[in-house]
Structures are given as C-alpha cells and as structure tokens.
Amino acid sequence: DTGVSQDPRHKITKRGQNVTFRCDPISEHNRLYWYRQTLGQGPEFLTYFQNEAQLEKSRLLSDRFSAERPKGSFSTLEIQRTEQGDSAMYLCASSHDGQAYEQYFGPGTRLTVT
Amino acid sequence: KNEVEQSPQNLTAQEGEFITINCSYSVGISALHWLQQHPGGGIVSLFMLSSGKKKHGRLIATINIQEKHSSLHITASHPRDSAVYICAVRRWNDKLIFGTGTRLQVFP
C-alpha cells in the first residue's frame, strides 16, 4: 500500500502524559499537513511542512504541541502534558507540488485522554 | 459565521434517490475539494475543482465561483454511499478550510 500511513491508529492516555504520533506520507510528496478533528466537526488545520521546513502553524497549536519532519520524509506530532480537550482525531495528509496540490489523507490517529 | 457552510447537516435517503449536498464559502479560494469520510475516520478525496463541473461514476460536483457555491450530487444512491461528506476550500496559501460535514444515510 503506497498511501499515507499513520501510527498508531488509536491511543488512550492519561491526562498529563506525553504522546507522539507518526505520519508517513506518499513517498514522492514534498508537502505534509497535520489536522485535528473533534467529534461532529470538520478537520482544522494545525501545521504544514514543505520538505523539512515547517512553514505555518495554527494558533490551535499551543506550546504543548510540536511537530517535526527531520529529513523531509515522515513527520511526528508530539503533545506534551495532554489534556482532556486534546481528545480528537489527528489527521495527516500529503501532497506534491506537481499535482495541483491535491491532498491525500491518512487514516488518522484517534486520541482519547482520560 | 463559518467561512465554509454546508447544508444539510444530516440527510437520510432511500436507495435510488438523487441526493444533493450544498457548500457555500465566503473567502477567496484557489480550489474546492469534496471529501468523503467513513466511520473510523479515513478521508478520501472525491473531487478537486476550481471551475465548472466534474463527474466520476454516480458522483457529480459543480462549482459557481461568482456565487461562491458548490454542490455535490449522488445519482441512484446506494447504502454504501452512507458517509460524511465534507466540503473544503483551498486558500491561496494552500491551507484547507473545512466545512462541518453532511452526514448521509442511505437505507435499502
């Protein structure tokens, strides 16, 4: 399967713990996006990378959140000191400049903070 | 007011019915996407369009740039079409802004 993959698919953690999610984009895609989706809502933009450079971060991304894409391939999203309000689906998408920026989405990581 | 509004929020149909989902937006865009999300969260891109009309199988998407409005039509609906359909607009800085989605249930 050569689509966008995310790991883990589900994560249950206790409040105050740190969690890290991974996204592997489609191999030739240079752009990578993170979104957050809460129940009953559409996804909201968190941040995006062009190659290894993080170009934009949403105000939703508090200082407890950090994202990296060290070699311009996979990306990680870390949440420190999780809060119950962080419970959501975290979606990753990737795109290629040469394909009119169409974004391909991964299956998401569902985070539950208890 | 949300920058992207969808209607209806929920839609129930009998198998075979013609379905229309509407999307209105209030910002300048470079393209509009229609996405499908099944239970479990995975999102599939159905269409990306910046003008006119596109058709893929039983799905048709139209956009009117002047009126800032798009519609997604499903002909001969089937229970497997049951999903959440999300409209998203792409801003000139490449950021996507999503609607809240339309939950469609098609009964046999």
Side-chain angles (χ1 to χ4, degrees):
Chain A
D1 183 76
T2 57
V4 179
S5 61
Q6 291 186 245
D7 183 71
R9 296 290 306 275
H10 303 273
K11 178 72 177 178
I12 299 173
T13 192
K14 292 186 177 179
R15 189 177 54 184
Q17 298 293 306
N18 299 343
V19 294
T20 299
F21 310 141
R22 176 178 170 128
C23 171
D24 286 88
I26 293 171
S27 60
E28 65 269 23
H29 284 187
N30 60 329
R31 292 180 180 234
L32 187 148
Y33 308 81
W34 284 100
Y35 299 94
R36 182 174 69 184
Q37 185 178 26
T38 53
L39 203 60
Q41 300 297 314
E44 296 172 296
F45 170 81
L46 291 178
T47 188
Y48 96 97
F49 293 85
Q50 183 165 0
N51 300 311
E52 66 274 10
Q54 188 174 17
L55 295 188
E56 188 171 349
K57 294 198 298 185
S58 164
R59 284 171 294 182
L60 294 174
L61 216 63
S62 76
D63 57 5
R64 296 185 298 107
F65 288 72
S66 62
E68 294 183 344
R69 194 183 183 199
K71 297 180 181 179
S73 56
F74 73 91
S75 176
T76 56
L77 178 69
E78 182 183 14
I79 309 174
Q80 296 182 325
R81 306 181 302 281
T82 52
E83 301 173 356
Q84 287 189 316
D86 297 331
S87 296
M89 174 76 83
Y90 290 84
L91 294 161
C92 174
S94 70
S95 70
H96 189 277
D97 289 348
Q99 292 178 350
Y101 304 106
E102 182 160 7
Q103 294 183 23
Y104 295 81
F105 286 81
T109 294
R110 184 171 296 281
L111 173 67
T112 302
V113 181
T114 61
Chain B
K1 187 176 174 7
N2 292 335
E3 292 169 305
V4 181
E5 298 272 1
Q6 284 185 238
S7 64
Q9 287 188 315
N10 295 284
L11 186 53
T12 302
Q14 287 295 125
E15 184 173 358
E17 286 185 6
F18 180 83
I19 288 163
T20 296
I21 300 170
N22 294 299
C23 176
S24 296
Y25 54 93
S26 58
V27 295
I29 69 170
S30 59
L32 183 143
H33 299 253
W34 281 102
L35 309 166
Q36 181 190 57
Q37 187 171 33
H38 281 283
I43 291 179
V44 173
S45 179
L46 299 175
F47 294 104
M48 182 179 68
L49 63 166
S50 53
S51 65
K53 176 179 174 178
K54 287 190 176 180
K55 183 175 189 294
H56 186 261
R58 295 180 295 105
L59 302 179
I60 302 167
T62 64
I63 187 169
N64 185 317
I65 295 292
Q66 286 73 31
E67 295 186 3
K68 294 189 169 152
H69 181 269
S70 175
S71 294
L72 176 68
H73 306 284
I74 305 176
T75 61
S77 59
H78 190 276
R80 65 175 175 265
D81 297 327
S82 299
V84 175
Y85 292 84
I86 302 173
C87 169
V89 299
R90 179 154 52 83
R91 303 301 308 278
W92 295 103
N93 60 5
D94 201 35
K95 187 188 302 184
L96 287 181
I97 303 173
F98 297 80
T100 55
T102 295
R103 183 175 300 277
L104 171 65
Q105 289 185 293
V106 182
F107 291 99

